Amino acid sequence: MASPMPLSAPTSQARVTPAASDAGVLSPDMLFDVLLRLPAKELCCLRAVCRSWRSLTVDPLFISAHAGRHRSTLFLAQFRDDKAHIHVMDLSGNLVKRIAIPRGHQLLCTCLELACVASPSNSCCVLNPATGGVYALPRGPAFVQPQCESLRRPDTFVFGRVPSTGEYKVIRTFNRAEFPHNDKLQPFEVFTLNGAASIGQWRILDSRDFVVEASSAVVVDAAVYFLMNSSYNRRGRAVTSGIPADYIASLDIEREEWRRDLQGPISGSPVIGDLDARDDYMFMWPQLALAELKGSLVLSYYRRRQFILDLWFLKDFEDGHWVKEYSIRTGSIGFCLADEYRVKPLLMLDDGRLVIYAALTGLLLICDPQTNTFTELETKHLDSVSVYAGNLLSLQEGNIV
């Protein structure tokens, strides 16, 4: 493993003055402005012109300014036929860079400048796609907990960033094969990374009074949101106890404290006395997914029987106010989603189109909600995917595919 790498990109907009001897007839400020207007791919070729141009275009301050001006859409992809690498690709499916990862690790779904991969054997690594650096987190628990004796693998990891501090945090949750008693709590632990000096240990977080589905987690701002765990709701136990399918737990990752729970917009007050109604209600569980779009928490509900994808946006956390902004008909691609349950929206593009991930089939789809039309991204079948919030310009400093 490589040594820990810097985890936060500079945010200052101060300019770097290149060496005047190679600047030609352009002043440093003018050269900055001219090069800032060019696309990243052209700049990577122009780096060979002279040392001053290269010095300017590889500087983190210039890269940060360029990223703010040129918003390119990039993804981190792990393909089913190549699980030993993470590939950076653009919206056309073109591969930009390939990064080796430890064997047996899977990419977590995030939208950050760093990525996180984890394995079923409780191994977790944070990687920097721009440099290829990998930082392995310790495997050991915070301390031996009595309930850990009954824990099973895989462990589930959640990766997020605290906007106010720039710290990255990894949340580790332990899943159980069965939950025979309500008094057995689900353990949570947290690990903080802050720059190259990230040497620490796992810390214990408080447990919930019910079990969450860790794989459903999504990070929005400084909070992690979880759906209920479906295995806990076997035989309708949670439904009959008053916990609906779209009940959502939230964890403040800055304070490392649980916030109040959210009632989802779909279930309301379900009638569970009728057996058929309860069966229909239980059918809802595997069709729900959480996502982050436009800075908001989104509850995705894929009504696969009707070929409709509903997207509910949380408008006010305190009031629990949800608005259904999209109800997308997927009949035109029904053959692609015939076996899908959780259809997860990954990203909203500037033109209003949605990038959607179908996990079972491993497809990335681009949807225009205004016309209910879909385009399949031309790429190999995916094992996992995330949005890369970094910049193509910085990626070109590493090894290219």
Side-chain angles (χ1 to χ4, degrees):
M1 293 294 176
S3 59
M5 65 291 185
L7 298 179
S8 300
T11 57
S12 170
Q13 296 300 310
R15 298 185 175 185
V16 178
T17 302
S21 60
D22 290 330
V25 296
L26 296 178
S27 67
D29 282 349
M30 186 176 296
L31 179 63
F32 187 100
D33 289 334
V34 169
L35 295 182
L36 195 62
R37 298 170 185 268
L38 299 178
K41 289 185 177 180
E42 292 185 14
L43 283 176
C44 293
C45 296
L46 292 175
R47 282 173 172 167
V49 171
C50 61
R51 262 184 283 181
S52 64
W53 286 29
R54 176 173 178 80
S55 175
L56 174 61
T57 57
V58 301
D59 190 279
L61 299 178
F62 178 86
I63 291 175
S64 178
H66 190 273
R69 190 182 185 103
H70 302 267
R71 298 186 177 276
S72 56
T73 302
L74 297 172
F75 300 95
L76 301 177
Q78 187 174 28
F79 299 121
R80 293 182 178 179
D81 63 353
D82 182 10
K83 297 185 179 182
H85 297 88
I86 299 298
H87 293 80
V88 184
M89 67 180 187
D90 62 20
L91 196 59
S92 299
N94 300 315
L95 299 182
V96 178
K97 186 176 182 179
R98 185 176 62 187
I99 307 161
I101 62 172
R103 182 178 179 181
H105 286 63
Q106 185 173 35
L107 176 69
L108 304 186
C109 184
T110 58
C111 183
L112 299 167
E113 293 184 1
L114 301 181
C116 190
V117 295
S119 76
S121 60
N122 192 23
S123 173
C124 181
C125 299
V126 174
L127 62 92
N128 187 330
T131 65
V134 179
Y135 177 65
L137 275 62
R139 295 195 184 193
F143 61 80
V144 177
Q145 304 177 65
Q147 62 264 43
C148 285
E149 296 179 0
S150 62
L151 298 179
R152 70 177 177 92
R153 297 296 184 260
D155 294 332
T156 304
F157 297 85
V158 182
F159 186 51
R161 183 177 181 269
V162 181
S164 61
T165 65
E167 293 178 329
Y168 286 84
K169 294 193 177 184
V170 181
I171 310 295
R172 179 167 65 179
T173 66
F174 295 89
N175 299 325
R176 302 173 186 278
E178 296 180 355
F179 300 90
H181 303 292
N182 290 335
D183 59 347
K184 288 192 175 182
L185 301 178
Q186 182 181 27
F188 289 81
E189 296 177 354
V190 60
F191 190 95
T192 300
L193 301 101
N194 187 7
S198 299
I199 301 175
Q201 61 182 5
W202 292 98
R203 304 184 305 280
I204 291 179
L205 295 176
D206 291 336
S207 297
R208 293 306 319 268
D209 52 357
F210 59 79
V211 179
V212 302
E213 184 175 342
S215 62
S216 71
V218 65
V219 180
V220 182
D221 198 11
V224 185
Y225 296 90
F226 301 88
L227 289 169
M228 285 285 298
N229 186 286
S230 58
S231 63
Y232 181 64
N233 299 284
R234 201 171 296 159
R235 304 184 187 89
R237 286 180 56 201
V239 175
T240 56
S241 63
I243 302 178
D246 56 349
Y247 198 67
I248 300 170
S250 65
L251 172 67
D252 186 320
I253 59 174
E254 180 175 7
R255 297 183 178 183
E256 299 180 4
E257 297 175 350
W258 291 98
R259 306 193 301 175
R260 72 174 187 84
D261 300 330
L262 277 172
Q263 171 63 61
I266 301 172
S267 58
S269 300
V271 178
I272 60 175
D274 177 45
L275 181 60
D276 292 333
R278 191 176 74 175
D279 287 345
D280 287 341
Y281 181 64
M282 293 301 295
F283 188 75
M284 178 195 302
W285 286 86
Q287 299 176 110
L288 298 177
L290 297 177
E292 183 272 331
L293 294 176
K294 299 189 298 185
S296 298
L297 174 66
V298 174
L299 180 66
S300 169
Y301 178 30
Y302 181 50
R303 293 183 280 157
R304 61 196 301 264
R305 290 175 175 174
Q306 292 83 31
F307 295 103
I308 295 176
L309 176 63
D310 294 330
L311 300 181
W312 293 82
F313 284 68
L314 179 65
K315 296 300 183 179
D316 191 301
F317 175 82
E318 296 302 327
D319 294 338
H321 178 55
W322 297 83
V323 173
K324 184 166 69 172
E325 293 195 6
Y326 299 96
S327 188
I328 304 167
R329 297 191 177 277
T330 65
S332 61
I333 56 165
F335 65 95
C336 292
L337 303 179
D339 297 324
E340 291 288 344
Y341 280 89
R342 284 184 176 152
V343 179
K344 186 179 181 68
L346 288 181
L347 179 68
M348 177 167 285
L349 303 175
D350 292 340
D351 59 7
R353 292 179 299 161
L354 290 166
V355 180
I356 296 172
Y357 176 48
L360 288 180
T361 54
L363 299 178
L364 268 187
L365 304 168
I366 301 176
C367 166
D368 186 341
Q370 301 302 320
T371 60
N372 286 326
T373 56
F374 292 79
T375 302
E376 182 181 335
L377 195 65
E378 295 184 5
T379 185
K380 295 184 292 184
H381 289 279
L382 296 160
D383 189 57
S384 55
V385 64
S386 67
V387 179
Y388 179 53
N391 178 258
L392 180 61
L393 197 59
S394 62
L395 284 172
Q396 301 294 332
E397 279 299 282
N399 296 324
I400 310 302
V401 173

